Amino acid sequence: MQRVQNLTRTILVAAVMSGVAPILPVAFPGLGAPEAEAAVVSRIDVRGNTRIDASTVESYLTIRPGRSFGPADIDESLKTLFATGLFEDVAINQQGGTLVVTVTENPMVNRISFEGNRRLDDKTLTGVVRTEERSMLTRAKVQSDVQNVLEAYRRSGRYRATVEPKIISRSSNRVDLVFEINEGDRTGIERITFIGNSTFSDGRLRDVIRTRTSGLLSFLRTTDSFDPDRLDADQELLRQFYYRHGYADFQIVSAVADLDREENVFYVTFTVEEGEQYTYGDIDLQTSLSDVDPEELRRKLRTSPGDTYSSLEVEKSLEDLTLDVSRQGYAFAQIRPRASRDYENRTISLTYFIEEGPRVYIERINVRGNDRTREYVIRREFDLVEGDAFNRVLIDKAERRLKDLQFFKNVRITTSRGSAPDRIIVNVDVEEQATGEIGFGVGYSTSDGVIGDITLQEKNFLGRGQFIRAKVGAGASSQTYEFAFTEPYFLGRRIALSLDVYRRTFDRNDYRNYELETTGGSIGLGLPLRDDELRLNLVYRIFDQKLSQNVPSNLSGGLQSSLGRNLTSAIGYSLVYDTRDSRTDPRDGFYVSFGQEVAGLGGDSRYLSTSIDARAYKEILPEWGVIGILRAGAGNIFGLGRSLRASDQFQHSDSWLRGFEQQGIGPRDSLTGDSLGGRWYVHANAEAEFPILGLPKELGLSGAVFTDFGAVWDADPAIVNCVGVAACGTTQVPATVQSNSFQPRVSAGVGVKWASPFGPLRADFAWPLLKESGDRTQFFRIGGGTRF
């Protein structure tokens, strides 16, 4: 009889664990009868428990002393006890008037450790496992932890990783849980293919997405491993790219990543349908709000008939209209664009409808996931606060701003119902990423030789959203020390306060017959006039400049008048209009800067300086990835009641007129060859950049052809008169000033760019096509630096 009871209990436990309700008699008298009879016990005896109180075990039972019970009660009690996760085994038997509950407790986890992990540290892996030290060990939870660890390795690009859990018994029913890990080789991306694209080449679309193929520089990247979240983000980047270039019918048919387990590589394939490119048709604006004048609001629109359709322009038009209407007292106004497509003429006509929306208020804004960044840094990117009218357009604008900060790996804003029908809760979920950087730079300048620097930079200082940078640099004949600080929200407003201090020294070399030391600083304010496109920058600069000649040489009289110390105190402004799609590698858009600076607020210099710089970028052959760049600039400076010093004037820069040395053109002492600078300068450049065919894309190499035009002229008369005159400090025989009139120079050449993981590097080979006697030419120029 006892054997039958034990066998029945074993079957019952197995059935419970498998989730199948047993239809069996239970192990107490009458077991062999065709139908089980109800039983009654007078007491419950719990055995085998060491850490868990008997009363706790009894609380999970549905059986009570003095009350009849049957097989269903035994079954339910077993299920409940196993579901607690506290017990490895449970048996329920009736012995006379006593119900005996025998339990085997799950062991207590004494310690959790990881072995064999190098790519992911213990802290990272501890964060993905559910089992905790001093908790009960369950087999189901351990198996779940194994899968979580494997998923963490897959997200880091290691699909060959294996994990084996080991349980080491200790005293007092305690165990150590050890995860033995074989990380395996990194699973790279062998190829990224696009199917269905004709307007834009594969190479151009690879530049749009974040995923990269594996190559020579894979050890410096993390984006050349497969990540399903990154693949989803890449699809959205492709959609935005096509929508912003007028392809409103674009869609992604599929995005597939095939794993070749034998080669341990992925093959990623995007299948797309580009559709046709659209331009804007008729643009109209209608409103049901009586006090809103549609004609006044038309000035806020960024969409114009005949222009290429761009979803970004539509989004920004909605934002501008929403803000303007809300300022007029319509906090609940909604602006909805309605598009009408003309498939034959490939135009999209837009009508912006402005109407009163539902009265829904923001009850609460929840910010989650910001372990380091202060909450107010996130909240200030919103144009809304608790209690304001809810507006989806402004919520989307805040999400874009948060992403642009580059403080977070992911940003997601969702909404949920509030405590009342007219209340809504906004949830902001962020995932932080590293914002600090230590850099070591190495480069080569044709004027100062090998240049090196060390830079410490933090974009989110102390989680306050502040930017700091400290830099120390040195070259064969130069030393640089810099410190910069920026507070992007000065006085709680969207005003950027910047502080900068520096010291630069330049020794005598083949390009300079003198030594120059400059120590100074600046304070500036940046005010947005139209989001980030139009800004007004105000700046005050003060610097002390010392020009000396420790080694006797033939120094121009025009420069000898500048020997000694000179303090400059100046205030200036600049208006910057910037629509470039990227600040570091632009392919489309405009950049225009106009500025003026007045020196004379104390100090030794008195002048008014005016300059303008304009650049235009356009993909002229998008299917081949060819980018056209036009740049032009000009400047003028004149003294205010005082003559200019040579150090105040403009000097030629070899960055805008290649083929000539630094200070290689412009007014020059005919005897000593010293560059004197000029009161005017002008330059223009035309360039085409293109990928180098036949080279792997991951190398980041591209070519360029260019032609440059430029001139520097009209030195201050006092400087001209000092050339060769003893009264100005020189004993040389009389000399003349060369190239003091407007004499343009022209050059042409080719360049090679390397978008290295360390930073941009560029080498140019240029030939002067039009030059003057006394000019200093330069065939080869290399610039840039490295970061590692």
Side-chain angles (χ1 to χ4, degrees), residues 308-368:
T308 301
Y309 172 81
S310 171
S311 61
L312 181 61
E313 292 175 347
V314 176
E315 291 173 12
K316 291 190 174 182
S317 295
L318 289 174
E319 293 171 3
D320 294 342
L321 290 172
T322 299
L323 289 173
D324 195 87
V325 172
S326 65
R327 293 190 189 103
Q328 297 183 41
Y330 293 94
F332 297 97
Q334 287 186 344
I335 295 94
R336 299 179 180 178
R338 298 182 183 176
S340 175
R341 301 190 190 187
D342 184 336
Y343 294 97
E344 182 178 353
N345 296 315
R346 297 199 295 274
T347 61
I348 296 179
S349 297
L350 288 175
T351 302
Y352 295 90
F353 286 92
I354 306 175
E355 57 190 0
E356 188 74 16
R359 293 182 173 270
V360 179
Y361 297 89
I362 297 177
E363 179 178 330
R364 190 169 65 254
I365 298 178
N366 296 325
V367 180
R368 303 179 296 208

Side-chain angles (χ1 to χ4, degrees), residues 194 204-212 229-245 250 252 270 311 403:
F194 295 88
R204 178 66 183 98
L205 296 182
R206 291 190 193 104
D207 289 339
V208 173
I209 63 177
R210 294 179 57 199
T211 302
R212 294 289 182 262
D229 291 340
R230 190 186 300 125
L231 186 66
D232 292 340
D234 286 341
Q235 295 180 61
E236 184 60 29
L237 289 174
L238 287 171
R239 291 190 191 94
Q240 293 177 4
F241 173 76
Y242 271 95
Y243 292 162
R244 292 176 180 180
H245 284 78
F250 172 81
I252 297 177
F270 294 92
S311 61
K403 290 178 179 178

